[in-house]
């Protein structure tokens, strides 16, 4: 049964990435009411900033995470200021907003491809591996689980106890009413876009450190991240906590099933698609709403 | 390369992409449905055509089958999302484009997997010139056909309901129309036209593999429609032509200019900026949507402008 333990560990790792990335996406999605497809490229951007930091002799994962979070948070703010806010102010409909986000994604992705070429890079760091029974777990994975847990706790405390957290919930629920009650909704929106971008940067660094780094990094996990967000209920952080776990487990157990059936493990993306379709048929509002 | 052949090739590709843009115009321009996985239906048509043509099925049958398969897939995949908000449809279609490519890539048994599949040409002429001309004639005919169909639909009572659904879904429902059926039929028809484009693409290039059907194809079609003007078939035509010319122009420039950046990267960066700039400064596109051409329009105008009779 040690196989099952390893699959569970893998699920936890996958789920943690989806949780970190999905939190950033679901918060901005819930507040600004459109899916930002350029979010994939925010992940990739964070990963490359992390790579840049790790190139220096003093570079370590912690510094890479902090710089990637800050830089990607700023990128997200810049995207909001230059592209999305002007469009929203012009009362652009949902589909033009999505198209603009795809366009922005192309600008970022191909700029990264230009700077670092399209070949895969790696952080070139070997992580210490612990073995319990037959189950392997690396130090990086422990950091990732720690980061995901810490983020969840901090966000929970933020939403329940702080003024800004309550303002975010109020603005997401009803922007007009929130504004009428004296909440500076613009400032709330800026805060959420920054935090969303920062979380994307963190998720991107972990993904790149665990696998490889290439301009399609973010795009390649966008589908399961979107599936988690929709399953959790758009804008719902608590729903996402469960949804990311479900996606992580479904994908990793899906791989086992695929192997048993003699099918290509490339189909694991299809698992996320299946979850997405099932959610839309049976519970389109998601778990958390 | 022979310049005349290059022009012919450009015309053929422009034609294929304009047909795709027309199909997106039917879905998004008139009905307001955001199909972000256009490439999937193009791909479905191309592979259906390829597989049937290899079995020796006649050209027109393979082409129609491609259109039908694309329409069926379009219906099945989008049904769960059609009753929901537009963003769900966008996420589902976008994801489906990726999944379909993944399946064809992973299953070598179906159509060669990553290695691709050879497609018999519809016009087995020995001369390159002759077959290019035959292709231009074929694509021109199909382009004209789809243009006339989409244009006729757009100005029919059916098209009026589609536009009404786009502008106010709830109001149309309140008037007793089954908006779901209208949306589903528009999507099926749009997918069928995209499948048709896929079939002619496959027989023209004579070899297809999964890497020809990446998400940028969808994005290119969206740029064409948004630049040209969504909701206007002439706009779709103009947008398709302009973007295809930009595409070819930069490819030629690549051979003569030495740029400090990779032209392929530069091209996509510029496309991304272009679409953002159009959406910001000219969201209606080059040729904005005009009023409906309905026979009763003059009548209605007269009625509206006449003073009310007691």
């Amino acid at each position: 049964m040690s196989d099952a333990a390893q699959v569970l560990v893998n699920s936890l790792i996958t789920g943690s990435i989806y949780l970190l990335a999905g939190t950033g996406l679901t918060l901005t999605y819930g507040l600004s009411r459109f899916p930002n497809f350029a979010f994939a490229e925010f992940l990739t951007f964070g990963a490359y900033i992390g790579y840049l930091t790790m190139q220096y002799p003093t570079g370590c994962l912690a510094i890479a995470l902090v710089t990637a979070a800050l830089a990607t948070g700023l990128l997200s703010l810049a995207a909001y200021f230059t592209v999305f806010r002007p469009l929203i102010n012009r009362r652009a409909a949902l589909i033009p907003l999505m198209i603009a986000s795809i366009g922005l994604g192309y600008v970022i992705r191909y700029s990264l491809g230009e700077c670092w070429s399209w070949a895969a890079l790696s952080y070139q760091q070997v992580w210490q591996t612990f073995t319990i029974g037959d189950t392997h777990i690396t130090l990086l994975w422990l950091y990732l689980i720690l980061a995901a847990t810490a983020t969840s706790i901090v966000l929970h405390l933020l939403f329940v106890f702080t003024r800004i957290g309550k303002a975010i919930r109020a603005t997401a629920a009803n922007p007009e009413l929130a504004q009428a009650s004296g909440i500076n909704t613009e400032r709330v929106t800026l805060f959420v876009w920054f935090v969303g971008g920062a979380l994307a940067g963190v998720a991107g660094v972990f993904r790149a450190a665990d696998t490889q780094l290439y301009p399609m990094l973010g795009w390649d996990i966008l589908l399961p991240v979107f599936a988690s967000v929709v399953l959790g209920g758009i804008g719902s952080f608590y729903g996402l906590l469960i949804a990311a776990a479900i996606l992580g487990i479904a994908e990793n157990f899906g791989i086992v099933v695929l192997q048993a059936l003699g099918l290509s493990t490339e189909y694991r993306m299809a698992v996320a698609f299946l979850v997405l379709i099932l959610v839309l048929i049976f519970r389109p509002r998601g778990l958390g709403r | 390369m022979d310049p005349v052949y290059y022009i012919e090739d450009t015309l053929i590709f422009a034609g294929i992409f304009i047909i795709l843009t027309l199909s997106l115009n039917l879905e998004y321009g008139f009905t307001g449905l955001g199909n972000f996985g256009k490439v999937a239906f193009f791909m479905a048509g191309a592979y259906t055509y390829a597989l049937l043509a290899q079995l020796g099925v006649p050209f027109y049958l393979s082409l129609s089958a491609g259109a039908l398969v694309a329409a069926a897939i379009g219906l099945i995949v989008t049904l769960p999302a059609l009753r929901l908000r537009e963003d769900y449809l966008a996420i589902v279609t976008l994801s489906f484009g990726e999944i379909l490519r993944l399946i064809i890539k992973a299953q070598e048994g179906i159509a060669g997997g990553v290695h691709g599949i050879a497609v018999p040409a519809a016009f087995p002429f020995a001369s390159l010139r002759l077959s290019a001309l035959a292709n231009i004639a074929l694509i021109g005919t199909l382009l004209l056909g789809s243009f006339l169909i989409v244009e006729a639909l757009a100005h029919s009572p059916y098209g009026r309901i589609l536009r009404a659904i786009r502008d106010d879904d709830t109001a149309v429902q309140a008037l007793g129309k089954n908006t779901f059926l209208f949306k589903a039929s528009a999507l099926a028809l749009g997918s069928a036209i995209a499948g048709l484009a896929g079939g002619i693409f496959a027989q023209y290039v004579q070899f297809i593999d999964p890497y020809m059907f990446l998400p940028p194809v969808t994005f290119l079609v969206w740029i064409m429609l948004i630049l040209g003007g969504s909701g206007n078939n002439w706009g779709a035509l103009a947008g398709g032509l302009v973007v295809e010319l930009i595409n070819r122009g930069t490819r030629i420039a690549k051979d003569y200019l030495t740029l400090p950046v990779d032209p392929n990267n530069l091209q996509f960066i510029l496309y991304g900026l272009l679409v953002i700039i159009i959406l910001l400064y000219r969201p209606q596109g080059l040729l904005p949507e005009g009023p409906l051409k309905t026979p009763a329009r003059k009548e209605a105008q007269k009625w509206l402008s006449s003073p009310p009779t007691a």
Side-chain angles (χ1 to χ4, degrees):
Chain A
M1 277 320 285
S2 54
D3 259 5
Q6 185 69 55
V7 174
L8 270 180
V9 170
N10 294 348
S11 307
L12 193 61
I13 301 309
T14 318
S16 297
I17 295 266
Y18 296 164
L19 177 65
L20 285 172
T23 307
L25 183 61
T26 205
L27 289 181
T28 47
Y29 196 167
L31 203 66
S32 297
R33 309 241 156 122
F34 74 94
N36 173 17
F37 291 108
F39 195 80
E41 276 65 38
F42 291 180
L43 289 164
T44 321
F45 179 80
Y48 276 101
I49 294 296
Y51 177 78
L52 206 62
T53 324
M54 298 282 266
Q55 293 303 296
Y56 290 100
T58 52
C60 68
L61 188 69
I63 298 174
L65 284 172
V66 173
T67 38
L70 288 176
T72 317
L74 290 178
L75 176 76
S76 170
L77 274 185
Y80 179 70
F81 268 117
T82 54
V83 179
F84 301 124
R85 196 171 68 166
L87 279 174
I88 292 168
N89 286 345
R90 277 159 203 259
R91 303 193 176 279
L94 193 54
I95 293 174
L97 277 168
M98 291 190 273
I99 287 292
S101 78
I102 293 183
L104 177 69
Y106 273 89
V107 173
I108 301 173
R109 190 196 306 167
Y110 283 86
S111 302
L112 291 172
E114 179 61 37
C115 290
W116 276 285
S117 94
W118 288 80
L121 303 169
S122 113
Y123 280 13
Q124 290 186 335
Q125 192 138 357
V126 181
W127 304 95
Q128 198 187 337
T129 307
F130 305 99
T131 308
I132 308 154
D134 281 335
T135 311
H136 302 286
I137 185 161
T138 66
L139 191 59
L140 178 75
W141 291 2
L142 291 179
Y143 287 144
L144 171 57
I145 294 166
L146 192 71
T149 316
T151 306
S152 313
I153 294 172
V154 168
L155 281 176
H156 171 69
L157 296 177
L158 184 92
F159 284 133
V160 176
F161 294 110
T162 65
R163 284 178 68 89
I164 180 80
K166 288 175 190 167
I168 292 172
R169 286 194 291 158
T171 311
N174 189 332
E176 284 85 19
L177 202 60
Q179 203 156 23
S181 350
I183 293 171
N184 185 342
T185 50
E186 187 60 30
R187 208 161 65 194
V188 170
T189 309
L190 293 183
F191 178 80
V192 167
W193 274 80
F194 180 80
V195 172
L199 286 171
V202 170
V205 169
F206 274 116
R207 179 74 184 179
D210 193 30
T211 57
Q212 272 179 325
L213 182 58
Y214 52 102
M216 296 292 284
L217 177 139
W219 181 265
D220 282 348
I221 62 165
L222 191 65
L223 168 52
V225 171
F226 259 112
S228 321
V229 167
V230 172
L231 173 61
I234 291 160
S236 165
F237 164 66
Y238 297 101
L240 181 71
L241 276 176
I242 306 165
I246 293 176
L247 256 296
I249 292 168
E251 194 178 311
N252 285 286
F253 277 89
I255 294 174
V256 176
V257 174
L258 286 172
Q259 277 169 340
L261 291 174
L263 288 166
S264 163
T265 50
E266 278 206 57
Y267 282 126
R268 68 167 176 274
M269 282 297 150
V271 176
F273 185 66
L274 201 64
V275 172
L276 186 68
I277 293 288
L278 290 177
V279 174
L280 292 189
I281 293 173
F282 295 109
R283 199 180 163 85
R285 67 198 160 100
L287 298 172
R289 298 207 316 172
Chain B
M1 200 200 257
D2 175 11
V4 179
Y5 177 72
Y6 194 80
I7 292 169
E8 287 167 347
D9 188 58
T10 308
L11 281 178
I12 288 168
F13 269 88
I16 292 171
F17 269 95
I18 291 170
I19 295 177
L20 281 177
T21 313
L22 283 171
S23 80
L24 184 65
N25 198 23
L26 180 64
E27 292 164 0
Y28 171 65
F30 296 123
T31 324
L33 298 168
N35 182 346
F36 282 43
K38 186 97 271 179
V39 67
F41 308 107
F42 183 55
M43 187 179 191
Y47 269 91
T48 310
Y49 180 88
L51 290 173
L52 289 178
Q54 269 201 338
L55 293 176
V57 178
F59 162 73
Y60 55 94
L61 276 184
S62 311
L63 203 61
S64 327
L68 281 179
V69 168
I73 291 180
L75 266 186
I76 295 167
V77 172
T78 53
L79 279 187
L82 273 185
R83 286 185 198 278
L84 306 167
R85 231 172 49 176
E86 299 105 306
D87 41 349
Y88 290 95
L89 183 68
I91 296 172
V92 166
T93 46
L94 185 110
S95 312
F96 178 66
E98 293 291 272
I99 296 299
L100 187 66
R101 183 164 48 86
L102 201 94
I103 293 173
I104 290 181
K105 209 167 96 182
Q107 281 313 104
E108 289 209 4
I110 299 181
V114 280
H115 308 300
I117 179 173
V119 190
F123 309 105
F125 298 131
S127 142
L128 204 61
R129 172 63 38 81
L130 217 54
S131 69
L133 284 178
N135 265 297
I136 289 179
L138 165 72
I139 290 167
T141 315
L142 288 175
L143 174 62
L144 187 70
S146 19
F147 185 89
L148 290 178
I149 289 174
V150 178
E151 185 73 7
L153 280 179
H155 295 289
S156 69
Y158 173 79
R160 284 203 296 274
I161 295 173
L162 292 188
R163 291 191 206 215
I165 290 173
R166 176 194 66 189
D167 296 337
D168 196 337
D169 194 0
T170 321
V172 179
Q173 261 173 12
L175 289 171
K177 300 287 180 197
N178 186 342
T179 57
F180 180 76
L181 272 184
F182 281 94
K183 285 188 199 174
S185 59
L187 237 152
L189 201 60
S191 301
I193 298 175
L196 199 71
I200 44 181
F201 169 77
Q203 68 78 25
Y204 176 63
V205 296
Q206 295 181 25
F207 170 82
I208 49 172
D209 69 28
Y211 297 100
M212 292 176 173
F213 303 95
L214 295 171
V217 175
T218 305
F219 185 58
L220 217 57
V221 177
W222 273 96
I223 298 179
M224 290 170 173
L225 184 61
I226 287 184
L227 175 75
S230 68
N232 183 339
N233 286 322
W234 290 103
L237 205 89
L241 207 59
V242 168
V243 175
E244 185 58 27
L245 287 180
I246 296 176
N247 203 351
R248 292 295 170 136
T250 47
R251 251 189 269 173
I252 296 172
K254 186 159 74 179
D255 298 334
Y256 295 101
L257 294 176
T258 38
L259 294 170
V261 292
D262 178 350
N264 187 42
N265 290 338
L266 187 66
Q267 195 179 6
F268 275 100
I269 294 170
L270 290 179
Y271 279 148
L273 290 175
L274 179 70
V275 87
I276 293 171
I277 289 168
I278 300 168
L279 286 173
L280 274 174
Y281 300 106
R282 199 173 165 82
Q284 71 274 40
L286 294 176
L287 303 172
E289 183 177 352
L292 276 166
K293 290 183 203 126
T294 44
R297 207 177 122 242
K298 277 213 178 96
E299 203 93 345
Q301 218 118 45
K302 222 188 302 171
W303 183 76
L304 279 172
S305 55
S306 66
T309 44

